[in-house]
Amino acid sequence: MRQIHICEVGPRDGLQNAHHLMPTEAKKAWIAAMAAAGIEEIEVGSFVPPKLIPAMADTGEIVSFALTLKDLKVVALAPNVKGFERAVASGAHKVTFPVSASRAHSMANVRMTPEQMVEEVRKCVQLRGKAGPEIEAGVSTAFGCTMQGVVPEDDVVRLAVMLVDAGVDCVALADTVGYANPAQIRRLFKKVKAEIGGKLEAAHLHDTRGLGLANALAAYEEGVRHFDSSMGGLGGCPFAPGASGNVITEDLVFMFESMGASTGVNLEKLMEARKLMVAAIPEEPVYGHMALAGLPKGFRAAA
Ligand SMILES: [Zn+2]
């Protein structure tokens, strides 16, 4: 039984910000290998204009392929109604919207204020009707912003409440640029949970300043059981200068498994999937302690 739910965001958050394009066939093989390693949920791409982000131009094809993989929850990002309509047409199981708590980041990223973005999400919830995909809102720059600097915690709480009122199924808090520390993670997850309860689901953390795992553990201790991460720490945000690297999936899996909290992921198979990723974009910087050191002698995965 899985106690920890990991959503691999490398094919979206990672590749969207990588310097090298991964060919479509290589993406498919990589995604299939991660699913085979036991990753239950993968954010496979984003429905943004291909001209804007060429790395995401094949998202429709990638979603179709991912839907053929057994037991995999297929997630796609959409920044607006147009993207959402494409996501619905693709058949993705879940759509995630980036909703910035920082006004400056929101304008730069989606050219809308946070309030306008909430209205955009509300329209999508209404469009969806009963049969559509699950809708998640990721509150980005929740812990700080490279443009605005400090993001008031009350702004994050208010935004989370507005999103739940707009009808989203779940909310994630995202440390888009890797500004968070464990004390801040505890405090903000607690505050938001006090307002929206179980609708607060995931932590989307970046390892920009080396605190990714420490922050994940802090979130875990606040009751969070859903984590976004990316293989090899690929990722960042093009509109947040200096942002790089999601928390590293392999290291996150190792931390939880060695603590006795099951992720359902087989680490050996995960490392095989990593080899496929590296082979497909050999010049792209990748990170990770597990890849360097390997499993410790006598390691036992959680039951
Ligand atoms: Zn991110």
Side-chain angles (χ1 to χ4, degrees), residues 74-86:
V74 181
V75 188
L77 181 143
N80 50 33
V81 171
K82 222 176 197 171
F84 180 71
E85 286 169 341
R86 289 171 64 202

Side-chain angles (χ1 to χ4, degrees), residues 40-69:
E40 63 181 315
E41 186 171 334
I42 304 182
E43 194 172 309
V44 299
S46 100
F47 286 103
V48 288
K51 264 190 213 142
L52 224 60
I53 306 178
M56 296 293 112
D58 58 3
T59 295
E61 185 178 343
I62 295 293
V63 169
S64 301
F65 170 77
L67 289 172
T68 67
L69 300 169

Side-chain angles (χ1 to χ4, degrees), residues 11 33 97 109 199 206 282 289:
F97 288 88
N109 201 17
K199 293 265 179 187
H206 279 246
H289 293 284

Side-chain angles (χ1 to χ4, degrees), residues 13 204 206 246:
D13 204 337
H204 176 103
H206 279 246
N246 291 92

Side-chain angles (χ1 to χ4, degrees), residues 9 12-13 174-176 204-206 236 246:
V9 298
R12 202 281 302 165
D13 204 337
D175 182 22
T176 312
H204 176 103
L205 303 169
H206 279 246
N246 291 92

Side-chain angles (χ1 to χ4, degrees), residues 11-288:
R12 202 281 302 165
D13 204 337
L15 291 180
Q16 185 165 328
N17 302 297
H19 300 289
H20 304 89
L21 284 177
M22 186 183 284
T24 304
E25 291 312 309
K27 263 192 210 183
K28 290 180 185 173
W30 177 37
I31 288 168
M34 291 193 287
I39 298 275
E40 63 181 315
E41 186 171 334
I42 304 182
E43 194 172 309
V44 299
S46 100
F47 286 103
V48 288
K51 264 190 213 142
L52 224 60
I53 306 178
M56 296 293 112
D58 58 3
T59 295
E61 185 178 343
I62 295 293
V63 169
S64 301
F65 170 77
L67 289 172
T68 67
L69 300 169
K70 206 172 150 267
D71 297 330
L72 179 68
K73 187 169 187 177
V74 181
V75 188
L77 181 143
N80 50 33
V81 171
K82 222 176 197 171
F84 180 71
E85 286 169 341
R86 289 171 64 202
V88 170
S90 77
H93 298 128
K94 176 174 167 184
V95 179
T96 183
F97 288 88
V99 185
S100 292
S102 150
R103 213 152 276 275
H105 184 263
S106 190
M107 291 308 292
N109 201 17
V110 291
R111 291 192 213 96
M112 284 184 260
T113 63
E115 292 78 14
Q116 286 170 326
M117 193 58 197
V118 170
E119 287 317 305
E120 197 76 5
V121 173
R122 190 191 306 276
K123 278 183 216 157
C124 296
V125 170
Q126 287 161 356
L127 261 174
R128 166 180 67 168
K130 285 197 176 71
E134 187 183 335
I135 294 180
E136 177 192 70
V139 179
S140 40
T141 61
F143 300 89
C145 167
T146 47
M147 297 168 195
Q148 181 179 313
V150 172
V151 174
E153 293 183 349
D154 289 348
D155 288 3
V156 177
V157 174
R158 195 165 51 235
L159 193 55
V161 170
M162 286 168 74
L163 286 162
V164 170
D165 287 344
V168 303
D169 299 302
C170 53
V171 172
L173 296 185
D175 182 22
T176 312
V177 292
Y179 274 25
N181 65 66
Q184 192 185 6
I185 292 274
R186 283 223 174 84
R187 202 167 55 234
L188 196 51
F189 270 92
K190 200 177 284 204
K191 276 189 186 176
V192 173
K193 197 174 170 186
E195 295 298 324
I196 67 168
K199 293 265 179 187
L200 176 61
E201 193 169 86
H204 176 103
L205 303 169
H206 279 246
D207 197 35
T208 320
R209 290 172 181 80
L211 295 185
L213 282 186
N215 288 338
L217 186 60
Y220 173 78
E221 287 173 350
E222 281 306 320
V224 176
R225 294 295 179 268
H226 290 75
F227 295 87
D228 289 354
S229 61
S230 88
M231 182 168 278
L234 283 178
C237 176
F239 303 105
S244 71
N246 291 92
V247 64
I248 300 155
T249 306
E250 307 86 295
D251 295 358
L252 188 69
V253 168
F254 173 68
M255 179 179 82
F256 283 126
E257 290 289 333
S258 54
M259 285 168 63
S262 174
T263 62
V265 178
N266 178 303
L267 265 169
E268 280 95 356
K269 287 187 185 168
L270 196 66
M271 298 315 286
E272 292 303 312
R274 180 185 163 109
K275 285 180 194 156
L276 289 184
M277 176 194 75
V278 171
I281 39 170
E283 277 147 60
E284 195 63 34
V286 286
Y287 309 91

